Amino acid sequence: MIDGFLALYIFMLAAFTGYEIIARVPVILHTPLMSGSNFVHGIVLVGAMIALGHANTPFEIAIGFVGVLLGAGNAAGGYVVTERMLEMFKSSKPGAGKEAK
């Protein structure tokens, strides 16, 4: 029972710390920082898969599944945002957007 409370305490502390850190990042830096941290999303996903693999009870399996689902969504979303950000920095071709005569 103590292990459950300790895990809950660590989760709550991590969630609060993450919120406070992200809330203090200027808007202009959020996208570059997110794209630079995509490798962390992959590590979180691997950790969630390992936790799901060690789950024994239906509750643990459900929590593990939700963790894998959220981790995969987070990683995919990070790559989508990175792609959109990189598109902003590509130079447009001469004559792009002009109609042919």
Side-chain angles (χ1 to χ4, degrees):
M1 188 68 174
I2 291 292
D3 290 336
F5 284 119
L6 182 61
L8 181 63
Y9 174 73
I10 291 171
F11 174 77
M12 290 172 42
L13 185 61
F16 176 75
T17 304
Y19 177 79
E20 288 298 317
I21 289 171
I22 295 299
R24 288 187 168 87
V25 172
V27 174
I28 196 161
L29 291 179
H30 183 66
T31 302
L33 289 175
M34 185 176 178
S35 67
S37 66
N38 280 337
F39 72 96
V40 175
H41 301 171
I43 293 169
V44 168
L45 181 57
V46 169
M49 289 189 290
I50 290 171
L52 179 59
H54 291 295
N56 295 322
T57 66
F59 180 70
E60 291 173 351
I61 293 171
I63 294 294
F65 178 75
V66 169
V68 169
L69 190 66
L70 292 175
N74 197 11
Y79 286 110
V80 169
V81 169
T82 300
E83 184 64 30
R84 289 184 65 194
M85 183 187 71
L86 292 175
E87 287 292 324
M88 292 182 348
F89 293 109
K90 288 185 179 178
S91 62
S92 60
K93 296 178 184 177
K98 294 182 181 177
E99 294 182 19
K101 294 184 178 182

